[in-house]
Amino acid sequence: MSEKEVNLVESCDIGPASARKRPKQAYQLRNQAALFQMDLPNPGHPCNGDENLFTNKIGNFSKGLPHNHLGEVDLNAYRDMIRALSTGNPDDFEFIPLGGLTKLASPQTAYAFEMVGPDTHHLSTNPAPAFSSAWNASEMAELYWLALTRDVPFTEYNTDPATLAAAADLSNNFSDFRGPKVNGKVTPDTLFRGNTPGDLTGPYISQFLWKDIPYGATTIVQRYRTTMAGVDHMTSYEDWLNTQNGFPSGTNQFDPQPRYIRNGRDLGEYTHRDFTFQGFLSACLILLSYGSAALAPNNPYLRSATQIGRSTFGAPHILDFVARATRTADMAAWYQKWLVHRRLRPEEFGGRVHNLLTGAANYPINQELLDSQAVAEVFSKFGTYLLPQAYAEGCPTHPAYPAGHACVAGAGATMLKAFFKESFIIPNPVVASADGLSLLPYSGPALTVGGELNKLASNIGLGRNAAGVHWRSDGEGLKLGEAVAIGILQDYRKTYNEDFGGFTFTKFDGTIISI
């Protein structure tokens, strides 16, 4: 048969839409989704005002640019960075002066478009805490305590003197600490935890970071490489200043024994090395291994006598949505980081504390922090007031707020809550031993899928706090990632042929949403 004859043959496809009608239907769906997103109210993008308040830019991120002996950024270099961010011209970014060898982390991601779900510029976050606020002071105190307790096993928080002191200090000496409390007090059981439903139930670490992962024809045991106990970085002023200028010093020293995550150091190192959606891919594979009983009750194939799901409402569908949502959430974080907030990192703020308390500079840091026991104990141990870092290189070269890990976590957890049964009880729960070499049976309140996914989001979103590279409020990214995932689900809601009632799940604030 000739090519001409083939082209004249009628199409062999069957179904409710002909080959001629289908492209029009596809166009209408895409157009309707785009119009839905475009017609949403335009949000504001407020910031904390520090960039305009402080002419020397002490309240803003500048790592990697040239700095003076106080660690204050060269203002010409900062203006060049702002100019490039303002124009978005790729050529302008090539003329930002760097202080050393370390490059800025992908600022042009802030301008990228996504074809599904909300545009990154159509999502908003609350302002970050201001430099001089009591709120900011409480978060910095928490970070000093996290550094001092990095090697305390989570199972010993109720007995270790350092964690007991941390809970007492954050409870009694800070007027605006916003971490979880019981009866108005921070306790060892709430210490360093997140604020989502499920965060305070059971062990500190989510079951999804401990249980074996079914991975195709093999199984992944979740023992990970971690760094050596007691090794902290950037505690000398010379090292700190070199790192701000883009010349990191020192190397990470690794424990030869892989371990289950059992303390802040381990969690910080997990979130140091994980790929974007690793924790949520793992959780998805674990949840899929529980079978249909763990699927959300609105999955249409739970009611079918003749069919199972695959690319719709089956494993390929869920796995794909977890991955695509986390990439889009990361883009949303980058827009907020670079084009809205430009919040300084805790390691930068630690330099401000050090220079104030040694008399080298005068900065308006809230007195509640300066009076904290944690600040005094850091100085006693290290001889400076700098914030000890778990990573030799310190924080990455992009602004703090919101945390990219938190945005990714918010999106990944939301997608999984949309597809799995939140009330399903995790079978055979475990807890890591104090040395991280084994898993022990957990006995306590039942651990549900919804609660453990929220806890996983907090573990990933706040895990880098234990390393010293993020603030608690950077975890606001959970809500931003959640909004990204909701937008993607909204766009896809009308694309399915199945008799599907929609996605229903619990948001991080405890409210129920149906899409």
Side-chain angles (χ1 to χ4, degrees):
M1 186 179 292
S2 70
E3 183 179 346
K4 183 177 181 181
E5 290 174 315
V6 171
N7 290 335
L8 292 175
V9 173
E10 288 294 327
S11 175
C12 295
D13 70 331
I14 61 174
S18 69
R20 288 187 175 90
K21 289 182 178 178
R22 179 76 180 187
K24 184 175 181 181
Q25 290 179 338
Y27 168 77
Q28 289 173 338
L29 277 171
R30 293 186 182 193
N31 189 50
Q32 289 168 3
L35 288 172
F36 171 80
Q37 297 293 345
M38 186 180 72
D39 288 342
L40 293 174
N42 283 315
H45 295 292
C47 62
N48 64 15
D50 282 343
E51 191 170 56
N52 289 329
L53 180 62
F54 301 116
T55 57
N56 54 2
K57 310 306 176 188
I58 57 170
N60 289 94
F61 173 83
S62 60
K63 184 174 179 176
L65 302 182
H67 297 78
N68 64 18
H69 69 285
L70 294 174
E72 297 176 0
V73 67
D74 178 280
L75 292 179
N76 288 326
Y78 194 85
R79 280 191 287 267
D80 286 339
M81 182 182 75
I82 294 298
R83 178 176 180 274
L85 291 169
S86 299
T87 67
N89 185 335
D91 292 339
D92 290 341
F93 286 92
E94 299 304 314
F95 290 97
I96 299 174
L98 298 180
L101 304 175
T102 307
K103 300 178 181 180
L104 301 178
S106 192
Q108 292 189 65
T109 295
Y111 310 100
F113 288 93
E114 176 54 54
M115 302 302 289
V116 179
D119 181 61
T120 57
H121 291 44
H122 212 153
L123 298 171
S124 185
T125 60
N126 294 317
F131 182 94
S132 301
S133 66
W135 183 10
N136 199 63
S138 73
E139 293 198 350
M140 191 65 183
E142 182 181 40
L143 290 168
Y144 279 119
W145 282 119
L146 274 162
L148 290 166
T149 60
R150 243 178 228 137
D151 296 313
V152 178
F154 298 124
T155 55
E156 297 179 6
Y157 271 25
N158 277 293
T159 57
D160 189 89
T163 48
L164 294 173
D169 187 36
L170 293 171
S171 288
N172 301 325
N173 300 321
F174 291 91
S175 59
D176 199 16
F177 179 66
R178 303 190 187 186
K181 301 174 183 178
V182 174
N183 297 323
K185 294 289 186 180
V186 179
T187 73
D189 289 325
T190 70
L191 190 65
F192 308 143
R193 295 204 186 205
N195 289 298
T196 70
D199 262 310
L200 300 185
T201 303
Y204 185 99
I205 295 295
S206 171
Q207 295 295 299
F208 297 118
L209 289 175
W210 277 335
K211 282 186 163 288
D212 291 353
I213 305 166
Y215 197 81
T218 190
T219 298
I220 297 175
V221 176
Q222 295 204 68
R223 285 195 295 267
Y224 297 103
R225 184 177 73 167
T226 187
T227 48
M228 292 296 294
V231 178
D232 297 301
H233 302 277
M234 222 179 299
T235 57
S236 80
Y237 191 79
E238 181 182 8
D239 285 347
W240 176 82
L241 187 58
N242 284 339
T243 304
Q244 303 318 299
N245 283 319
F247 293 103
S249 59
T251 57
N252 294 298
Q253 300 176 38
F254 295 103
D255 186 337
Q257 176 67 57
R259 300 177 191 270
Y260 292 103
I261 299 171
R262 90 289 195 186
N263 59 26
R265 186 180 296 277
D266 296 351
L267 180 59
E269 186 59 19
Y270 176 91
T271 54
H272 190 195
R273 307 294 174 178
D274 61 332
F275 58 82
T276 324
F277 54 93
Q278 180 175 332
F280 302 92
L281 170 63
S282 301
C284 189
L285 294 171
I286 293 169
L287 287 168
L288 288 169
S289 75
Y290 295 148
S292 60
L295 292 174
N298 54 7
N299 187 303
Y301 289 103
L302 293 178
R303 303 183 298 274
S304 176
T306 61
Q307 308 163 79
I308 59 174
R310 186 172 168 80
S311 292
T312 52
F313 303 101
H317 187 182
I318 307 171
L319 288 164
D320 171 64
F321 270 34
V322 168
R324 72 170 53 203
T326 53
R327 173 187 175 270
T328 307
D330 208 46
M331 292 166 55
W334 252 243
Y335 163 65
Q336 295 289 334
K337 283 173 178 289
W338 284 108
L339 299 188
V340 182
H341 300 287
R342 294 178 292 283
R343 185 188 191 185
L344 84 168
R345 292 277 182 163
E347 76 179 51
E348 296 173 297
F349 194 91
R352 314 290 187 243
V353 174
H354 176 82
N355 282 322
L356 172 64
L357 290 178
T358 58
N362 185 22
Y363 299 132
I365 295 172
N366 191 281
Q367 190 65 38
E368 289 181 356
L369 173 63
L370 305 180
D371 292 339
S372 171
Q373 178 185 346
V375 175
E377 292 203 13
V378 164
F379 183 80
S380 176
K381 183 175 181 179
F382 298 102
T384 67
Y385 297 101
L386 302 168
L387 179 65
Q389 299 288 304
Y391 310 154
E393 75 280 11
C395 73
T397 50
H398 53 82
Y401 187 81
H405 270 70
C407 292
V408 164
T414 299
M415 280 300 183
L416 291 173
K417 286 189 287 185
F419 283 97
F420 290 99
K421 187 177 182 180
E422 292 181 74
S423 62
F424 182 83
I425 295 175
I426 305 290
N428 305 313
V430 294
V431 61
S433 60
D435 61 7
L437 296 179
S438 61
L439 294 177
L440 308 172
Y442 159 77
S443 59
L447 304 178
T448 64
V449 164
E452 289 302 289
L453 285 175
N454 284 343
K455 190 186 294 178
L456 174 63
S458 290
N459 288 160
I460 301 300
L462 300 177
R464 288 160 72 87
N465 297 20
V469 305
H470 267 298
W471 309 85
R472 170 175 286 275
S473 54
D474 293 344
E476 179 78 7
L478 289 183
K479 298 175 185 176
L480 184 60
E482 179 181 67
V484 167
I486 288 171
I488 292 172
L489 292 170
Q490 288 169 330
D491 276 8
Y492 273 98
R493 168 66 183 86
K494 296 181 179 180
T495 65
Y496 308 118
N497 187 69
E498 292 88 348
D499 183 11
F500 175 53
F503 302 99
T504 298
F505 54 90
T506 309
K507 296 175 63 177
F508 291 123
D509 64 6
T511 61
I512 306 294
I513 184 173
S514 293
I515 299 171

